[in-house]
Amino acid sequence: MKVIRKLFLVFLDMCAVCAASFLGLLLRFDLSIDEIQDPYMENMWRYLPFAVAITIVVFGIFRLYNSLWDYVSVTELEHIVLASGVSTLINFVLSYYVGNGADGYIWRMPRSVYCIYCFLLIAEACIIRFGYRALRLQRRKRIDKKIGANVMVIGAGEAGNMLIKEIMASDVLHKNIRCVIDDASEKIGSYLQGIRIVGNRDTIEENVERYNITEIIIAVPSASQKEVSKIVNICQKTGCSLKILPGICEIVNEEAHIGQLRDVQVEDLLGRDPIKVDLDSIMGYVTGRTVMVTGGGGSIGSELCRQLADHGVGKLIIVDIYENNAYNIQQELLYKYPDLDLVVLIASVRNTLRIKNIFETYKPEIVYHAAAHKHVPLMEVSPNEAIKNNVFGTLKTVRAADAAGVKKFVLISTDKAVNPTNIMGATKRICEMIVQTYNKRSKTDFVAVRFGNVLGSNGSVIPLFKRQIEQGGPVTVTHPDIIRFFMTIPEAVSLVLQAGAFAKGGEIFVLDMGEPVKILDLAENLIRMSGFVPYQDIDIKFTGLRPGEKLYEELLMDEEGLQDTENKLIHIGKPIKLDEEKLLKTLDEMYDICINEPGDSRVREMVKSIVPTYKPKNVEGEGKGDKSDKKNKAENHKASSEKTMDKSDVKADAENY
């Protein structure tokens, strides 16, 4: 098929040479055949075979038969002009100076004929090549109008231009681009690739109706995430499906390709640019080191392992209680990093002897402690388990790290540790206090890293919403006014890794996460992104705040204040003074209660004595007052009373403490 197309093109060019030769002579003599002198007509016919052969060879040298007709452009036009000029010059030299026969016959033509011939040849070669593309585009437009989606492109810059060109040239995609949106007032009313720029972002909804748009493509890769978020929010009100072009740094040679289009993601709705950390410049502290990650199979832990493996860690020790998670990250790392010295261990941080043995055997130099129970409602009805795993699991790991002479110990904390209203947040606050206490008693640099909700992590609200949408709804939101700070897993991990680089001991690192996100807005946008209309196709149901849940989360306690680091988006909370001896003594007493008493009333009181800011209620100032608190406490007591303890587990915990 390819050879046939080339031969057909050669044939058309042969016809073009013949036509240009005859028309050039005809134009020279004012379009009158009778005025053409006989020698010139005879010379043309005698030299024509040579002209055809020379032109075809020169066109071949300039690769005019290798270009794709679908994508002929200015480059091909340049080649056509050069090739036509060269072939005309050769023909002129041969016919004017070389073409003398034995009988004195010459092939000369009037000199002006060669100039006319050259312009005609260029025009005909362009018509042949660009005409095919024009006919093909018209045919595709007719097909697109019949079966293609009506598309609006947002962005009339270089990315939008390249994107429209690729869509128009594609045989696979059937998209009927009806209009372009751009905020630059000087562009409005102009045309981009023949498509009218109809207005700015404020006219999106109006033009969606006017042009019957069903799909919107956002092609502003240089815009900030905040601006993209604003545009996305406007577009989602239209009910159109959305596609978005990645950031300009992700596009090869700053050119937009249709294959790089992606669906709008939840991250696009956060309204802030992603946190960027130059890990290559700070990860020298892990290169060649023995590093341990507890909870290494979880969302944060597994990403930590990936980043550590990617930055030349000497030995990587993964500790996790869940064998499936541990197995998955093990196989992934072995595949991607076959030379990695990897150790994967199944162990509980609650087991003193096991953790101590691991530290003594492998002697890690750096530890990232990500193992914890994090699900707020589940921990609220099982406070003893939250305390045993989070508080005493951390305490045992900290003590083992201290005894083994670990250089750096990084605790993964949470914004729920600030003024906690749930047991999970309170346990994490105690973990921070343990880290700060042991930092003063040990040569190990103990630090904590605090961040908000992580998109896509286990237990995140986003996977829950997606499952509910797939099932036809309703999507459940606890409260219409509830807000949360969000960050992506890579952002969280970059903060943790940078904290390890900045760590001098005792700090609580906090990420500036921008503006909080309203969960209701997140649910509505996710429904729209799935192609449905909120409250019509998919309903949203408000279930009420869960035990221990509050309307908003904070990143810092009022007493802590802020201290800047080299990264302006990462801050350090100043440690709060605490009675360390009293803390350790209270922890001993609380441990005995956790393993010997099945109820949770006493252990909650112990937690409150350690964390004065812990106020176990749904939310302050909601008007539910004591009645709401009593109901929550009754539910918590009922749930925890139903829980039983295995005596063998109690005995094992007591022996391991």
Side-chain angles (χ1 to χ4, degrees):
M1 190 67 181
K2 186 176 181 181
V3 174
I4 294 175
R5 283 192 298 176
K6 284 187 177 181
L7 291 175
F8 181 62
L9 190 57
V10 169
F11 172 75
L12 292 178
D13 284 341
M14 292 172 64
C15 295
V17 173
C18 295
S21 298
F22 177 73
L23 288 174
L25 190 60
L26 189 63
L27 288 170
R28 167 63 178 78
F29 289 96
D30 301 323
L31 298 176
S32 176
I33 296 179
D34 295 336
E35 294 294 327
I36 300 176
Q37 301 174 18
D38 290 339
Y40 290 133
M41 183 66 75
E42 291 178 5
N43 287 349
M44 182 199 73
W45 289 115
R46 287 178 181 275
Y47 187 75
L48 191 58
F50 297 98
V52 169
I54 290 170
T55 301
I56 298 302
V57 170
V58 172
F59 276 23
I61 293 173
F62 278 84
R63 296 176 296 181
L64 293 184
Y65 301 116
N66 295 327
S67 299
L68 296 174
W69 292 18
D70 295 351
Y71 300 100
V72 288
S73 59
V74 175
T75 301
E76 278 71 30
L77 177 60
E78 292 175 352
H79 289 171
I80 289 172
V81 172
L82 288 173
S84 299
V86 170
S87 66
T88 301
L89 181 62
I90 294 174
N91 289 329
F92 171 75
V93 171
L94 287 177
S95 63
Y96 214 82
Y97 295 105
V98 179
N100 293 318
D103 56 356
Y105 186 84
I106 59 176
W107 292 336
R108 290 183 180 180
M109 305 283 285
R111 294 181 181 180
S112 59
V113 169
Y114 296 100
C115 295
I116 298 171
Y117 166 83
C118 183
F119 284 113
L120 290 174
L121 184 61
I122 291 172
E124 291 169 0
C126 287
I127 290 172
I128 290 171
R129 286 157 177 80
F130 287 92
Y132 172 82
R133 180 183 180 187
L135 291 173
R136 201 163 182 275
L137 286 176
Q138 288 301 320
R139 177 176 172 272
R140 187 180 297 120
K141 284 181 179 180
R142 288 196 299 270
I143 296 174
D144 290 343
K145 285 182 179 179
K146 290 181 180 179
I147 65 173
N150 289 339
V151 176
M152 170 189 287
V153 173
I154 298 179
E158 185 61 27
N161 179 55
M162 295 295 295
L163 187 65
I164 293 173
K165 285 178 65 176
E166 287 210 33
I167 290 175
M168 288 181 168
S170 174
D171 267 337
V172 179
L173 295 170
H174 295 291
K175 296 182 183 296
N176 181 27
I177 302 177
R178 300 296 306 278
C179 62
V180 179
I181 295 291
D182 198 280
D183 284 338
S185 58
E186 66 272 13
K187 294 182 180 180
I188 297 174
S190 303
Y191 288 82
L192 183 67
Q193 297 293 324
I195 309 299
R196 185 177 174 83
I197 303 171
V198 296
N200 57 27
R201 72 178 67 178
D202 296 329
T203 68
I204 289 176
E205 294 182 72
E206 169 191 336
N207 285 297
V208 163
E209 293 184 7
R210 179 181 178 186
Y211 292 97
N212 195 25
I213 302 297
T214 58
E215 181 178 330
I216 299 175
I217 300 177
I218 301 173
V220 283
S222 59
S224 67
Q225 195 68 34
K226 187 174 183 179
E227 287 302 307
V228 172
S229 176
K230 291 179 180 179
I231 295 172
V232 168
N233 286 330
I234 295 173
C235 293
Q236 286 188 329
K237 296 176 183 178
T238 66
C240 297
S241 63
L242 295 179
K243 298 286 184 182
I244 192 167
L245 203 64
I248 199 69
C249 61
E250 302 172 11
I251 303 176
V252 180
N253 296 328
E254 297 186 355
E255 294 180 356
H257 297 285
I258 189 65
Q260 292 174 309
L261 283 177
R262 61 171 173 80
D263 291 330
V264 174
Q265 299 170 349
V266 178
E267 289 88 335
D268 298 315
L269 306 175
L270 295 185
R272 62 171 174 80
D273 292 323
I275 304 301
K276 296 180 180 179
V277 176
D278 184 10
L279 291 179
D280 292 334
S281 65
I282 64 173
M283 289 298 284
Y285 77 98
V286 302
T287 303
R289 305 270 187 168
T290 299
V291 182
M292 175 191 290
V293 180
T294 68
S299 304
I300 298 298
S302 61
E303 182 64 21
L304 275 168
C305 293
R306 294 183 190 97
Q307 293 290 341
L308 290 167
D310 193 49
H311 286 86
V313 64
K315 181 192 290 289
L316 180 59
I317 306 163
I318 298 176
V319 178
D320 204 295
I321 190 60
Y322 303 109
E323 69 271 22
N324 290 338
N325 288 350
Y327 176 78
N328 290 337
I329 188 62
Q330 178 191 48
Q331 295 306 306
E332 178 185 337
L333 294 179
L334 288 176
Y335 176 77
K336 292 183 178 179
Y337 309 96
D339 298 329
L340 176 65
D341 188 355
L342 179 64
V343 178
V344 179
L345 304 171
I346 303 301
S348 171
V349 292
R350 290 162 55 169
N351 190 319
T352 307
L353 299 180
R354 173 68 168 149
I355 291 299
K356 181 180 178 181
N357 178 259
I358 291 174
F359 275 88
E360 290 176 347
T361 302
Y362 297 99
K363 297 178 173 57
E365 299 170 84
I366 302 171
V367 175
Y368 296 95
H369 183 54
H373 287 327
K374 306 178 184 72
H375 199 282
V376 171
L378 291 180
M379 294 306 98
E380 203 63 20
V381 296
S382 302
N384 285 8
E385 296 306 305
I387 293 169
K388 283 192 285 186
N389 195 69
N390 294 1
V391 175
F392 295 108
T394 297
L395 181 60
K396 294 175 182 183
T397 308
V398 163
R399 286 174 171 171
D402 174 39
V406 170
K407 296 184 182 302
K408 291 186 178 182
F409 184 104
V410 182
L411 166 72
I412 309 300
S413 189
T414 172
D415 56 355
K416 293 176 177 60
V418 183
N419 298 323
T421 58
N422 54 68
I423 200 70
M424 195 284 284
T427 60
K428 279 297 189 177
R429 177 56 192 150
I430 296 175
C431 291
E432 293 176 354
M433 297 167 72
I434 291 172
V435 162
Q436 291 182 324
T437 296
Y438 270 83
N439 182 71
K440 298 178 181 179
R441 300 165 174 249
S442 172
K443 295 181 179 179
T444 302
D445 293 330
F446 288 97
V447 299
V449 184
R450 187 188 289 163
F451 46 80
N453 298 273
V454 181
L455 289 173
S457 65
N458 297 328
S460 169
V461 71
I462 303 303
L464 173 62
F465 285 169
K466 287 182 177 179
R467 287 195 300 270
Q468 291 174 336
I469 292 171
E470 289 173 0
Q471 295 166 1
V475 170
T476 56
V477 178
T478 58
H479 194 284
D481 297 324
I482 193 168
I483 60 173
R484 289 291 181 267
F485 291 96
F486 280 99
M487 63 190 309
T488 64
I489 291 177
E491 286 177 326
V493 169
S494 67
L495 173 63
V496 172
L497 294 174
Q498 188 155 33
F502 289 165
K504 297 180 180 179
E507 303 98 335
I508 296 178
F509 291 91
V510 183
L511 173 64
D512 182 355
M513 297 172 64
E515 297 297 320
V517 177
K518 198 172 182 179
I519 300 299
L520 177 58
D521 292 343
L522 203 60
E524 292 175 344
N525 289 329
L526 198 57
I527 292 172
R528 294 190 186 99
M529 286 168 56
S530 303
F532 301 105
V533 178
Y535 309 107
Q536 294 183 19
D537 302 326
I538 302 291
D539 194 17
I540 297 178
K541 181 181 178 182
F542 299 104
T543 58
L545 292 173
R546 299 171 295 182
E549 191 173 39
K550 56 183 177 180
L551 285 180
Y552 61 93
E553 302 291 356
E554 304 155 276
L555 291 179
L556 279 173
M557 300 173 71
D558 293 336
E559 300 93 334
E560 288 177 303
L562 283 177
Q563 179 182 341
D564 292 333
T565 66
E566 296 175 18
N567 187 331
K568 295 182 179 179
L569 296 175
I570 300 175
H571 309 283
I572 300 175
K574 297 178 181 178
I576 297 176
K577 294 181 179 180
L578 55 92
D579 190 332
E580 297 172 5
E581 295 300 331
K582 182 180 179 181
L583 170 65
L584 297 176
K585 181 180 179 181
T586 306
L587 288 177
D588 287 340
E589 296 174 1
M590 187 163 64
Y591 187 81
D592 291 334
I593 295 173
C594 284
I595 64 173
N596 292 315
E597 296 185 18
D600 62 3
S601 57
R602 287 191 63 193
V603 77
R604 285 185 187 276
E605 292 302 320
M606 296 288 288
V607 171
K608 289 177 68 175
S609 68
I610 298 175
V611 184
T613 55
Y614 170 48
K615 298 177 181 179
K617 57 183 178 180
N618 277 346
V619 65
E620 298 179 13
E622 268 234 291
K624 294 183 178 180
D626 295 337
K627 183 177 180 180
S628 175
D629 293 339
K630 289 178 181 178
K631 180 180 178 182
N632 290 332
K633 290 180 180 180
E635 290 176 353
N636 294 341
H637 180 71
K638 178 181 178 183
S640 59
S641 297
E642 293 172 353
K643 182 174 180 64
T644 59
M645 296 287 289
D646 189 302
K647 293 182 178 179
S648 61
D649 290 342
V650 173
K651 181 178 179 181
D653 279 341
E655 290 175 349
N656 289 334
Y657 180 60

